Each structure stands twice: as structure tokens, then as C-alpha cells.
Amino acid sequence: MHELSIVMSIIEIAESEINKAGGGIADEIELDIGTLSTIEMEAFDFAWNQGIRGSLLEDAKLHVNRIEGKAKCLDCELEFPIENYYDSCPVCGGHFNQILQGKELKVKTITIQSTVDG
Amino acid sequence: MCATCGCSSDTHDHHDHNHDHSHSKKIVDVEQDILHQNNLLGERNRGYFEAKNILALNLVSSPGSGKTSLLERTLTDLKGEMDFYVIEGDQRTTRDADRIHATGTKVTQINTGKGCHLDAHMVMHALQGMKPKANSVMFIENVGNLVCPSMFDLGEKERVVIMSVTEGEDKPLKYPDMFHSSTLCIINKTDLLPYVPFNLDKAKEYIQQVNHQLPVIEVSCTTGEGLQDWYGWLKSKVLIEEEA
């Protein structure tokens, strides 16, 4: 259940960004999670709901961009979508895949709602 | 309700509030890898190993594939040839560390409690306590788990995934991330091949499909068959001792 460690890391990153911005709370958070990134979304959602309690992300709207896996065949240079590392090239049948995308796991943006006293 | 000052926005207007404030929204481009903190510490460990010319290996497998048995054999057979250190990762107990200790090797046990993997931070603290000598070999035996440890860089030079013939030959397909991120695959318990339905050729084919660069070494820690290949690989990775 590494999803909870992932959620806790996201909260750490977000809280540090909010502090840098001078305080407030997160209104929205946008994540890139590739389909090849070993994150089980069901487990992630469960961990998310538990993890954000009492944090600056408690009321944040979560947006997850699922980045589809894409590979390049090193035999025939074809670029094609993959769901698994072991998917073969649809043209030449080879397994010499170079992963181009799908392993993303990052915090893209945070919308911070801050209070400015005047 | 206003989440910032606690005032109830439906009963009075915000702008009449006695300490006049306004809410502003700001979008911050973070673009930060979620495992950034672990990766930084992993690189820190890597720098430590490189500076001291230590070969660090991360041993990963499912529980019961023979990580500790392989270490016991290796530490005993190569005693005197290299300086070894071992970091043991388990949820509970010091049983594995006790087995390593019995071979006369310096060992530190990390108990992860509920955790399912070692991370770079735990390894960093273990290193601070061990203070390994330069020009040595550091084995880090991860928690028995083919899923989570694949995501956490510990700063190792080589990642060795171990599977055994008492498991299914389709392990590489079922847990592709681990096989994809490893630099050597050891197939253990080959002495049991006559008694189990494990298909060695199929296993190698699956390994190639997931990671075409992954070399495979077949061993039996019980009979010692194939261990010379493993020792040969290990010696080829040990860096030449630096002149003082």
C-alpha cells in the first residue's frame, strides 16, 4: 500500500508550496499520474481521502491527468500506445520497447487560496 | 463558512468585516516529481557510495524467494575476498539480521513497521550508524514485496531481482515494474526444477519481454550450482580499489 506514502508526499509538497506563497489553503491540485506508474487509482483515492484530513488540502479539488503509456520500438522505430511493459510492437512483434511516456508521477499545479489582510 | 477566518459568509457580507481582507487565488506551477524527496536522498546515498568506492546492491523479491539464503552463501563463500556490509529490511523481527550476523558480517536491521518497502531516508540513517569502510560491498535486502520497492530508489548501483522456481514463471509479467527497473535477475532453487511445473524457458522469455536488457543467472543456494556465475557477475561490478 505505497499509495499512502505517495499521498503523504503530495501533501508535503503542497504544504511547502503554500508556505512559500505566504500561507492559505489549497483550492485545487492537479497531478500527472501515468498509467505505467504503479499507482492503483482505487487505492490512491482511498489513501487520498484519509490522508488529506486535517491538512491544507482537506478541501482541495483533485484533478488527475492520466498519462497514457507510449513506447518506441527499437527495432522498427514505430511509436505506439502500451498498457504493459511487455506489450509487443504491433508492426514487427518485437519487445525492444523504449518507454516514452506513462511513468509520470508528479504534482503539476496547485491553486492556492490565500488571505491578504488589508 | 469562510475557511480562513471562520466567519459565516451567509449571515454577513465579507467586505463589511471589521478587519477588511480579500481572498485571492493563485495558481502555482509546481511540476515536481512526487518522489522528489526520496530521489534526492537516493542521490545523496549514491554520492556517499561513489565517494567511498562502495558497490551498493538492492536485493528485491517476493517473500521466500531466497534473498537471505543467497546472502548467507555469498558472504560465507567470498569471505576474505571482499569487505561486506548488509542492511536488512523487514516489517518486524531481527531474524534475518541474526542469520547474517552469524556469518560474521556487519549488519543493520531496519524494521519498517507497517511499511512495505525501504526508502532512501531509512538507508541514509542505517549508513550513518554503520559507517562502512571504503572499497566494500553493501547489500541492501529490501522488504519481501515485488510491488512497492520498485518505486523507491535507495541510491544503489545495481538492483537484483530474485525469483525462485517454486513461484510461477509468469512473475515478470505479473510484476513488470520490478523486473523493468532491475539490472540483474537471479532464478533461485533450480535444484527443485525436477519436482515443480516451473517452465524455465518461458520464465526467461517473459523476462526478456518486460526488460530485454536484463541478464539472468540460474542458481541453487542449496547445492551451490550456478553460484560461480553470480560471484563472477558480482566481481565484475566491484570497482577497482583506488590508490590512497
PDB file of all heavy atoms in Angstrom, chain A residues 35-61:
ATOM      1  N   THR A  35      -0.172   5.857 -16.600  1.00  0.00           N
ATOM      2  CA  THR A  35      -0.809   4.544 -16.433  1.00  0.00           C
ATOM      3  C   THR A  35       0.227   3.445 -16.177  1.00  0.00           C
ATOM      4  O   THR A  35      -0.127   2.342 -15.807  1.00  0.00           O
ATOM      5  CB  THR A  35      -1.634   4.168 -17.681  1.00  0.00           C
ATOM      6  OG1 THR A  35      -0.791   4.235 -18.837  1.00  0.00           O
ATOM      7  CG2 THR A  35      -2.805   5.116 -17.877  1.00  0.00           C
ATOM      8  N   LEU A  36       1.529   3.743 -16.385  1.00  0.00           N
ATOM      9  CA  LEU A  36       2.577   2.747 -16.106  1.00  0.00           C
ATOM     10  C   LEU A  36       3.270   3.027 -14.766  1.00  0.00           C
ATOM     11  O   LEU A  36       4.330   2.491 -14.483  1.00  0.00           O
ATOM     12  CB  LEU A  36       3.637   2.776 -17.219  1.00  0.00           C
ATOM     13  CG  LEU A  36       3.215   2.413 -18.634  1.00  0.00           C
ATOM     14  CD1 LEU A  36       4.345   2.684 -19.618  1.00  0.00           C
ATOM     15  CD2 LEU A  36       2.797   0.957 -18.727  1.00  0.00           C
ATOM     16  N   SER A  37       2.662   3.874 -13.937  1.00  0.00           N
ATOM     17  CA  SER A  37       3.382   4.371 -12.753  1.00  0.00           C
ATOM     18  C   SER A  37       3.192   3.575 -11.463  1.00  0.00           C
ATOM     19  O   SER A  37       3.521   4.058 -10.402  1.00  0.00           O
ATOM     20  CB  SER A  37       2.987   5.815 -12.482  1.00  0.00           C
ATOM     21  OG  SER A  37       1.660   5.847 -12.001  1.00  0.00           O
ATOM     22  N   THR A  38       2.674   2.369 -11.518  1.00  0.00           N
ATOM     23  CA  THR A  38       2.414   1.529 -10.331  1.00  0.00           C
ATOM     24  C   THR A  38       1.477   2.148  -9.304  1.00  0.00           C
ATOM     25  O   THR A  38       1.515   1.790  -8.134  1.00  0.00           O
ATOM     26  CB  THR A  38       3.702   1.097  -9.563  1.00  0.00           C
ATOM     27  OG1 THR A  38       4.429   2.269  -9.204  1.00  0.00           O
ATOM     28  CG2 THR A  38       4.555   0.169 -10.359  1.00  0.00           C
ATOM     29  N   ILE A  39       0.648   3.089  -9.745  1.00  0.00           N
ATOM     30  CA  ILE A  39      -0.358   3.614  -8.822  1.00  0.00           C
ATOM     31  C   ILE A  39      -1.698   2.977  -9.178  1.00  0.00           C
ATOM     32  O   ILE A  39      -2.163   3.057 -10.308  1.00  0.00           O
ATOM     33  CB  ILE A  39      -0.469   5.153  -8.936  1.00  0.00           C
ATOM     34  CG1 ILE A  39       0.827   5.823  -8.508  1.00  0.00           C
ATOM     35  CG2 ILE A  39      -1.650   5.673  -8.112  1.00  0.00           C
ATOM     36  CD1 ILE A  39       1.177   5.653  -7.050  1.00  0.00           C
ATOM     37  N   GLU A  40      -2.269   2.311  -8.184  1.00  0.00           N
ATOM     38  CA  GLU A  40      -3.586   1.728  -8.344  1.00  0.00           C
ATOM     39  C   GLU A  40      -4.569   2.825  -7.942  1.00  0.00           C
ATOM     40  O   GLU A  40      -4.580   3.248  -6.788  1.00  0.00           O
ATOM     41  CB  GLU A  40      -3.692   0.492  -7.440  1.00  0.00           C
ATOM     42  CG  GLU A  40      -4.898  -0.361  -7.662  1.00  0.00           C
ATOM     43  CD  GLU A  40      -5.077  -0.761  -9.112  1.00  0.00           C
ATOM     44  OE1 GLU A  40      -4.173  -1.403  -9.675  1.00  0.00           O
ATOM     45  OE2 GLU A  40      -6.124  -0.390  -9.692  1.00  0.00           O
ATOM     46  N   MET A  41      -5.374   3.306  -8.896  1.00  0.00           N
ATOM     47  CA  MET A  41      -6.178   4.506  -8.620  1.00  0.00           C
ATOM     48  C   MET A  41      -7.185   4.303  -7.495  1.00  0.00           C
ATOM     49  O   MET A  41      -7.463   5.219  -6.745  1.00  0.00           O
ATOM     50  CB  MET A  41      -6.872   5.010  -9.901  1.00  0.00           C
ATOM     51  CG  MET A  41      -5.948   5.750 -10.852  1.00  0.00           C
ATOM     52  SD  MET A  41      -4.805   6.932 -10.061  1.00  0.00           S
ATOM     53  CE  MET A  41      -5.900   8.305  -9.688  1.00  0.00           C
ATOM     54  N   GLU A  42      -7.707   3.090  -7.391  1.00  0.00           N
ATOM     55  CA  GLU A  42      -8.690   2.841  -6.326  1.00  0.00           C
ATOM     56  C   GLU A  42      -8.019   2.989  -4.947  1.00  0.00           C
ATOM     57  O   GLU A  42      -8.552   3.628  -4.051  1.00  0.00           O
ATOM     58  CB  GLU A  42      -9.250   1.434  -6.487  1.00  0.00           C
ATOM     59  CG  GLU A  42     -10.736   1.355  -6.216  1.00  0.00           C
ATOM     60  CD  GLU A  42     -11.289   0.024  -6.659  1.00  0.00           C
ATOM     61  OE1 GLU A  42     -11.522  -0.141  -7.880  1.00  0.00           O
ATOM     62  OE2 GLU A  42     -11.453  -0.850  -5.792  1.00  0.00           O
ATOM     63  N   ALA A  43      -6.833   2.408  -4.839  1.00  0.00           N
ATOM     64  CA  ALA A  43      -6.073   2.513  -3.585  1.00  0.00           C
ATOM     65  C   ALA A  43      -5.653   3.958  -3.354  1.00  0.00           C
ATOM     66  O   ALA A  43      -5.640   4.447  -2.216  1.00  0.00           O
ATOM     67  CB  ALA A  43      -4.839   1.614  -3.635  1.00  0.00           C
ATOM     68  N   PHE A  44      -5.325   4.638  -4.428  1.00  0.00           N
ATOM     69  CA  PHE A  44      -4.899   6.026  -4.315  1.00  0.00           C
ATOM     70  C   PHE A  44      -6.047   6.891  -3.773  1.00  0.00           C
ATOM     71  O   PHE A  44      -5.845   7.692  -2.854  1.00  0.00           O
ATOM     72  CB  PHE A  44      -4.442   6.562  -5.674  1.00  0.00           C
ATOM     73  CG  PHE A  44      -4.002   7.996  -5.629  1.00  0.00           C
ATOM     74  CD1 PHE A  44      -2.709   8.313  -5.239  1.00  0.00           C
ATOM     75  CD2 PHE A  44      -4.875   9.026  -5.952  1.00  0.00           C
ATOM     76  CE1 PHE A  44      -2.295   9.641  -5.168  1.00  0.00           C
ATOM     77  CE2 PHE A  44      -4.484  10.346  -5.885  1.00  0.00           C
ATOM     78  CZ  PHE A  44      -3.187  10.652  -5.493  1.00  0.00           C
ATOM     79  N   ASP A  45      -7.238   6.707  -4.350  1.00  0.00           N
ATOM     80  CA  ASP A  45      -8.391   7.507  -3.915  1.00  0.00           C
ATOM     81  C   ASP A  45      -8.703   7.270  -2.442  1.00  0.00           C
ATOM     82  O   ASP A  45      -9.008   8.191  -1.690  1.00  0.00           O
ATOM     83  CB  ASP A  45      -9.620   7.187  -4.780  1.00  0.00           C
ATOM     84  CG  ASP A  45      -9.454   7.735  -6.197  1.00  0.00           C
ATOM     85  OD1 ASP A  45      -8.653   8.674  -6.381  1.00  0.00           O
ATOM     86  OD2 ASP A  45     -10.106   7.214  -7.119  1.00  0.00           O
ATOM     87  N   PHE A  46      -8.596   6.008  -2.046  1.00  0.00           N
ATOM     88  CA  PHE A  46      -8.844   5.660  -0.647  1.00  0.00           C
ATOM     89  C   PHE A  46      -7.818   6.364   0.254  1.00  0.00           C
ATOM     90  O   PHE A  46      -8.173   7.023   1.231  1.00  0.00           O
ATOM     91  CB  PHE A  46      -8.754   4.139  -0.482  1.00  0.00           C
ATOM     92  CG  PHE A  46      -8.956   3.672   0.928  1.00  0.00           C
ATOM     93  CD1 PHE A  46     -10.230   3.611   1.479  1.00  0.00           C
ATOM     94  CD2 PHE A  46      -7.867   3.297   1.712  1.00  0.00           C
ATOM     95  CE1 PHE A  46     -10.417   3.190   2.788  1.00  0.00           C
ATOM     96  CE2 PHE A  46      -8.038   2.879   3.022  1.00  0.00           C
ATOM     97  CZ  PHE A  46      -9.315   2.825   3.558  1.00  0.00           C
ATOM     98  N   ALA A  47      -6.553   6.250  -0.140  1.00  0.00           N
ATOM     99  CA  ALA A  47      -5.478   6.868   0.649  1.00  0.00           C
ATOM    100  C   ALA A  47      -5.616   8.388   0.645  1.00  0.00           C
ATOM    101  O   ALA A  47      -5.353   9.057   1.650  1.00  0.00           O
ATOM    102  CB  ALA A  47      -4.112   6.464   0.083  1.00  0.00           C
ATOM    103  N   TRP A  48      -6.053   8.944  -0.465  1.00  0.00           N
ATOM    104  CA  TRP A  48      -6.207  10.388  -0.588  1.00  0.00           C
ATOM    105  C   TRP A  48      -7.215  10.902   0.441  1.00  0.00           C
ATOM    106  O   TRP A  48      -6.953  11.835   1.188  1.00  0.00           O
ATOM    107  CB  TRP A  48      -6.661  10.737  -2.014  1.00  0.00           C
ATOM    108  CG  TRP A  48      -6.859  12.204  -2.241  1.00  0.00           C
ATOM    109  CD1 TRP A  48      -8.040  12.888  -2.243  1.00  0.00           C
ATOM    110  CD2 TRP A  48      -5.831  13.180  -2.479  1.00  0.00           C
ATOM    111  NE1 TRP A  48      -7.814  14.219  -2.471  1.00  0.00           N
ATOM    112  CE2 TRP A  48      -6.472  14.421  -2.623  1.00  0.00           C
ATOM    113  CE3 TRP A  48      -4.439  13.106  -2.579  1.00  0.00           C
ATOM    114  CZ2 TRP A  48      -5.762  15.599  -2.851  1.00  0.00           C
ATOM    115  CZ3 TRP A  48      -3.734  14.279  -2.825  1.00  0.00           C
ATOM    116  CH2 TRP A  48      -4.396  15.503  -2.952  1.00  0.00           C
ATOM    117  N   ASN A  49      -8.385  10.243   0.463  1.00  0.00           N
ATOM    118  CA  ASN A  49      -9.446  10.705   1.354  1.00  0.00           C
ATOM    119  C   ASN A  49      -9.045  10.624   2.825  1.00  0.00           C
ATOM    120  O   ASN A  49      -9.426  11.469   3.631  1.00  0.00           O
ATOM    121  CB  ASN A  49     -10.735   9.910   1.101  1.00  0.00           C
ATOM    122  CG  ASN A  49     -11.318  10.233  -0.263  1.00  0.00           C
ATOM    123  OD1 ASN A  49     -11.187  11.366  -0.743  1.00  0.00           O
ATOM    124  ND2 ASN A  49     -11.925   9.261  -0.907  1.00  0.00           N
ATOM    125  N   GLN A  50      -8.245   9.614   3.156  1.00  0.00           N
ATOM    126  CA  GLN A  50      -7.783   9.500   4.538  1.00  0.00           C
ATOM    127  C   GLN A  50      -6.656  10.493   4.818  1.00  0.00           C
ATOM    128  O   GLN A  50      -6.629  11.150   5.847  1.00  0.00           O
ATOM    129  CB  GLN A  50      -7.254   8.076   4.807  1.00  0.00           C
ATOM    130  CG  GLN A  50      -8.282   6.985   4.616  1.00  0.00           C
ATOM    131  CD  GLN A  50      -9.474   7.157   5.524  1.00  0.00           C
ATOM    132  OE1 GLN A  50      -9.321   7.428   6.710  1.00  0.00           O
ATOM    133  NE2 GLN A  50     -10.676   7.047   4.972  1.00  0.00           N
ATOM    134  N   GLY A  51      -5.747  10.593   3.842  1.00  0.00           N
ATOM    135  CA  GLY A  51      -4.520  11.350   4.052  1.00  0.00           C
ATOM    136  C   GLY A  51      -4.707  12.851   4.171  1.00  0.00           C
ATOM    137  O   GLY A  51      -4.002  13.519   4.935  1.00  0.00           O
ATOM    138  N   ILE A  52      -5.650  13.411   3.413  1.00  0.00           N
ATOM    139  CA  ILE A  52      -5.772  14.875   3.376  1.00  0.00           C
ATOM    140  C   ILE A  52      -6.482  15.451   4.605  1.00  0.00           C
ATOM    141  O   ILE A  52      -6.435  16.648   4.834  1.00  0.00           O
ATOM    142  CB  ILE A  52      -6.517  15.377   2.106  1.00  0.00           C
ATOM    143  CG1 ILE A  52      -7.907  14.771   2.014  1.00  0.00           C
ATOM    144  CG2 ILE A  52      -5.696  15.091   0.864  1.00  0.00           C
ATOM    145  CD1 ILE A  52      -8.763  15.375   0.910  1.00  0.00           C
ATOM    146  N   ARG A  53      -7.101  14.602   5.411  1.00  0.00           N
ATOM    147  CA  ARG A  53      -7.807  15.104   6.603  1.00  0.00           C
ATOM    148  C   ARG A  53      -6.894  15.934   7.486  1.00  0.00           C
ATOM    149  O   ARG A  53      -5.804  15.486   7.842  1.00  0.00           O
ATOM    150  CB  ARG A  53      -8.327  13.928   7.435  1.00  0.00           C
ATOM    151  CG  ARG A  53      -9.556  13.308   6.865  1.00  0.00           C
ATOM    152  CD  ARG A  53     -10.157  12.420   7.920  1.00  0.00           C
ATOM    153  NE  ARG A  53     -11.067  11.467   7.302  1.00  0.00           N
ATOM    154  CZ  ARG A  53     -11.550  10.423   7.953  1.00  0.00           C
ATOM    155  NH1 ARG A  53     -11.187  10.189   9.190  1.00  0.00           N
ATOM    156  NH2 ARG A  53     -12.381   9.629   7.359  1.00  0.00           N
ATOM    157  N   GLY A  54      -7.362  17.121   7.815  1.00  0.00           N
ATOM    158  CA  GLY A  54      -6.594  17.963   8.719  1.00  0.00           C
ATOM    159  C   GLY A  54      -5.410  18.630   8.062  1.00  0.00           C
ATOM    160  O   GLY A  54      -4.642  19.318   8.724  1.00  0.00           O
ATOM    161  N   SER A  55      -5.224  18.424   6.752  1.00  0.00           N
ATOM    162  CA  SER A  55      -4.110  19.073   6.061  1.00  0.00           C
ATOM    163  C   SER A  55      -4.629  20.285   5.300  1.00  0.00           C
ATOM    164  O   SER A  55      -5.835  20.534   5.237  1.00  0.00           O
ATOM    165  CB  SER A  55      -3.447  18.107   5.080  1.00  0.00           C
ATOM    166  OG  SER A  55      -4.212  18.010   3.897  1.00  0.00           O
ATOM    167  N   LEU A  56      -3.711  21.027   4.708  1.00  0.00           N
ATOM    168  CA  LEU A  56      -4.113  22.206   3.926  1.00  0.00           C
ATOM    169  C   LEU A  56      -4.791  21.801   2.616  1.00  0.00           C
ATOM    170  O   LEU A  56      -5.244  22.638   1.853  1.00  0.00           O
ATOM    171  CB  LEU A  56      -2.891  23.088   3.634  1.00  0.00           C
ATOM    172  CG  LEU A  56      -2.191  23.678   4.865  1.00  0.00           C
ATOM    173  CD1 LEU A  56      -0.977  24.487   4.445  1.00  0.00           C
ATOM    174  CD2 LEU A  56      -3.150  24.541   5.675  1.00  0.00           C
ATOM    175  N   LEU A  57      -4.854  20.497   2.367  1.00  0.00           N
ATOM    176  CA  LEU A  57      -5.507  20.008   1.146  1.00  0.00           C
ATOM    177  C   LEU A  57      -6.898  19.463   1.421  1.00  0.00           C
ATOM    178  O   LEU A  57      -7.549  18.944   0.528  1.00  0.00           O
ATOM    179  CB  LEU A  57      -4.660  18.882   0.538  1.00  0.00           C
ATOM    180  CG  LEU A  57      -3.368  19.294  -0.167  1.00  0.00           C
ATOM    181  CD1 LEU A  57      -2.494  18.087  -0.411  1.00  0.00           C
ATOM    182  CD2 LEU A  57      -3.683  19.980  -1.475  1.00  0.00           C
ATOM    183  N   GLU A  58      -7.334  19.606   2.671  1.00  0.00           N
ATOM    184  CA  GLU A  58      -8.593  18.967   3.068  1.00  0.00           C
ATOM    185  C   GLU A  58      -9.758  19.332   2.148  1.00  0.00           C
ATOM    186  O   GLU A  58     -10.596  18.488   1.835  1.00  0.00           O
ATOM    187  CB  GLU A  58      -8.925  19.327   4.527  1.00  0.00           C
ATOM    188  CG  GLU A  58     -10.177  18.620   5.021  1.00  0.00           C
ATOM    189  CD  GLU A  58     -10.179  18.402   6.524  1.00  0.00           C
ATOM    190  OE1 GLU A  58      -9.355  19.016   7.228  1.00  0.00           O
ATOM    191  OE2 GLU A  58     -11.025  17.616   6.990  1.00  0.00           O
ATOM    192  N   ASP A  59      -9.824  20.581   1.705  1.00  0.00           N
ATOM    193  CA  ASP A  59     -10.946  20.996   0.871  1.00  0.00           C
ATOM    194  C   ASP A  59     -10.572  21.146  -0.603  1.00  0.00           C
ATOM    195  O   ASP A  59     -11.324  21.719  -1.378  1.00  0.00           O
ATOM    196  CB  ASP A  59     -11.507  22.330   1.397  1.00  0.00           C
ATOM    197  CG  ASP A  59     -12.052  22.165   2.811  1.00  0.00           C
ATOM    198  OD1 ASP A  59     -12.790  21.192   3.039  1.00  0.00           O
ATOM    199  OD2 ASP A  59     -11.713  22.991   3.680  1.00  0.00           O
ATOM    200  N   ALA A  60      -9.399  20.668  -0.954  1.00  0.00           N
ATOM    201  CA  ALA A  60      -8.925  20.878  -2.334  1.00  0.00           C
ATOM    202  C   ALA A  60      -9.622  19.933  -3.309  1.00  0.00           C
ATOM    203  O   ALA A  60      -9.888  18.774  -2.997  1.00  0.00           O
ATOM    204  CB  ALA A  60      -7.418  20.662  -2.394  1.00  0.00           C
ATOM    205  N   LYS A  61      -9.915  20.501  -4.482  1.00  0.00           N
ATOM    206  CA  LYS A  61     -10.475  19.681  -5.553  1.00  0.00           C
ATOM    207  C   LYS A  61      -9.311  18.987  -6.252  1.00  0.00           C
ATOM    208  O   LYS A  61      -8.321  19.621  -6.583  1.00  0.00           O
ATOM    209  CB  LYS A  61     -11.227  20.597  -6.540  1.00  0.00           C
ATOM    210  CG  LYS A  61     -12.374  19.879  -7.235  1.00  0.00           C
ATOM    211  CD  LYS A  61     -12.969  20.739  -8.316  1.00  0.00           C
ATOM    212  CE  LYS A  61     -13.966  21.778  -7.788  1.00  0.00           C
ATOM    213  NZ  LYS A  61     -14.403  22.671  -8.861  1.00  0.00           N
TER     214      LYS A  61
END
